[in-house]
Amino acid sequence: MSKKVGIPKGLLYYNFYPMWKTFFEELGAEVVTSSDTCKKIIDDGIKTCVDETCLPVKTFMGHVIDLKEKGVDYIFVPRVISVERRRYLCSKFLGLPDLVRNLISDLPQIIDMKIDYYRGEEFMEREILRVGKLFVDGTSKIKDAYEKSLKRQRTFECIIREGFSNTEAIKIMEGKKLDANTKGDLKIALLAHSYDIMDDYLSMGLINRLKNMGAYVLTTNMIERDKIEKGASKLQKDLFWNYGRDILGAGKYFIESEDVDGVISVSAFGCGPDSITEDLLERDYKRDGKIPFMSITIDEHTGEAGLNTRLEAFIDLLRWRKGEIMA
């Protein structure tokens, strides 16, 4: 009977789920995901964490509890340190397995794979083998599973670049047929961490709301790497937070290219790095003054009515600038 590996639908799930799923399934495990985010999951996470914890981590804890209640054999909680050289993730990712173990009792075994590409391929190979041997003995089978998972990840990222959101790309890789997100007469860049905007419950369906208002939504993950690097090269000082640098790089690229009608920045309440990147973006856009910019902060108390009002006002502003409506 195959072992069940639980993968929480939070944080970097939206960036790497196809890769992680492929790796464990190739090793003979059954992958089980937590339920979609709901009030119970949020409430469970809030009760587990101290008040100062950021919303995405509180939500992640709720997903871990959901998997515990599903009776899985393992829960995958990677310690993600670096996904590219000279860049790091924020401290919540570095200490995530420790937080989970200390905040939630009676858990199944945590698979705390250390992901640190800054330390090179040899380090990653040792970690892959260490985790793989929980399921099989053969080194070659583990390496083969890892290679297949990398290939799967490359396919996933290519689908996103074609104009699909991360969640749409996951559905496509699971066999569903979807049309690319290319409709809409307004082009809006949505600059945010994937876990802040891909979770429909946390973001209150922000992407679909914008689409329904006639917008073509462009997320940070859809933007080509060279454009992000071009924007990031304008930073006065290089930023070592991997994803924060991507958001800033994309934001600076759009200021220069003027390739969008408007930019919306989304951040989570309690996120330290977001408080810096969002402020830097807002200052840049106000100083330049050519592209309308709006920032949205999500938290566990955000109301849908307030969000709708702000989005409608922003869309009206963009249409007024295009001469489609009168002031």
Side-chain angles (χ1 to χ4, degrees):
M1 187 174 177
S2 59
K3 296 285 187 182
K4 292 182 180 178
V5 177
I7 298 182
K9 280 186 176 178
L11 296 175
L12 296 181
Y13 161 87
Y14 297 99
N15 294 63
F16 297 108
Y17 173 66
M19 177 182 179
W20 295 342
K21 180 174 186 282
T22 301
F23 178 66
F24 289 117
E25 286 186 342
E26 286 294 323
L27 296 176
E30 178 187 348
V31 170
V32 177
T33 59
S34 53
S35 308
D36 290 341
T37 303
C38 59
K39 187 174 186 306
K40 179 184 181 303
I41 284 178
I42 297 281
D43 287 346
D44 285 345
I46 291 172
K47 289 173 190 169
T48 305
C49 300
V50 296
D51 290 345
E52 291 76 12
T53 309
C54 70
L55 178 62
V57 169
K58 287 177 181 173
T59 308
F60 187 86
M61 294 300 165
H63 280 283
V64 171
I65 292 169
D66 183 72
L67 285 170
K68 172 185 147 183
E69 292 171 350
K70 286 184 174 181
V72 297
D73 299 297
Y74 302 94
I75 299 180
F76 183 56
V77 185
R79 190 185 305 276
V80 187
I81 299 170
S82 171
V83 294
E84 62 177 305
R85 288 186 67 79
R86 298 186 180 280
R87 309 271 178 251
Y88 295 95
L89 276 72
C90 90
S91 55
K92 67 189 172 204
F93 292 100
L94 275 61
L96 196 59
D98 305 318
L99 280 173
V100 168
R101 287 193 183 98
N102 284 283
L103 292 175
I104 305 171
S105 59
D106 301 323
L107 284 169
Q109 183 174 342
I110 297 295
I111 300 177
D112 59 346
M113 179 189 287
K114 191 179 287 186
I115 298 174
D116 188 355
Y117 283 96
Y118 186 82
R119 298 179 67 175
E121 287 297 329
E122 284 188 18
F123 173 82
M124 280 309 304
E125 185 175 311
R126 286 198 298 274
E127 276 298 290
I128 293 296
L129 292 176
R130 179 180 69 82
V131 171
K133 285 179 180 175
L134 292 172
F135 303 92
V136 297
D137 293 326
T139 299
S140 61
K141 186 168 179 58
I142 298 170
K143 288 183 177 179
D144 184 54
Y146 180 51
E147 287 302 320
K148 287 180 178 174
S149 69
L150 289 176
K151 186 177 179 182
R152 194 78 170 155
Q153 180 67 17
R154 287 192 289 272
T155 303
F156 173 61
E157 292 174 358
C158 285
I159 293 172
I160 293 173
R161 297 273 194 274
E162 290 172 4
F164 294 95
S165 71
N166 298 45
T167 47
E168 289 171 337
I170 288 172
K171 289 177 182 174
I172 289 170
M173 296 196 73
E174 289 175 343
K176 294 188 178 177
K177 292 187 177 181
L178 299 172
D179 293 327
N181 170 32
T182 56
K183 296 179 180 176
D185 57 338
L186 291 175
K187 193 174 180 181
I188 296 179
L190 198 56
L191 305 182
H193 296 287
S194 59
Y195 46 81
D196 286 339
I197 54 174
M198 295 301 156
D199 187 319
D200 276 343
Y201 191 89
L202 284 187
S203 70
M204 290 172 287
L206 177 58
I207 292 177
N208 283 331
R209 285 174 193 271
L210 287 169
K211 285 182 182 176
N212 291 336
M213 292 177 185
Y216 163 43
V217 179
L218 195 61
T219 68
T220 311
N221 291 127
M222 293 177 190
I223 302 166
E224 293 87 350
R225 193 73 231 164
D226 59 328
K227 293 179 178 176
I228 289 177
E229 291 301 326
K230 185 177 180 181
S233 68
K234 306 293 181 186
L235 291 168
Q236 290 184 345
K237 184 178 180 182
D238 198 16
L239 200 68
F240 58 81
W241 291 316
N242 195 94
Y243 295 117
R245 182 177 180 274
D246 286 355
I247 291 170
L248 273 178
K252 284 189 169 291
Y253 169 77
F254 287 125
I255 287 177
E256 192 171 272
S257 67
E258 300 182 38
D259 192 29
V260 292
D261 297 300
V263 171
I264 299 176
S265 166
V266 181
S267 62
F269 181 76
C271 177
D274 275 3
S275 65
I276 296 172
T277 54
E278 187 176 75
D279 185 64
L280 289 171
L281 273 178
E282 190 164 1
R283 290 185 191 200
D284 282 346
Y285 276 87
K286 281 184 176 177
R287 191 180 301 120
D288 185 72
K290 294 177 183 172
I291 300 176
F293 176 89
M294 180 172 74
S295 62
I296 293 174
T297 302
I298 56 171
D299 63 26
E300 56 263 42
H301 306 298
T302 305
E304 291 188 22
L307 177 66
N308 253 347
T309 301
R310 294 194 66 199
L311 292 180
E312 286 170 358
F314 191 68
I315 294 289
D316 282 350
L317 170 67
L318 301 187
R319 295 201 180 283
W320 172 74
R321 283 167 57 91
K322 295 181 77 170
E324 295 178 5
I325 59 175
M326 300 298 290

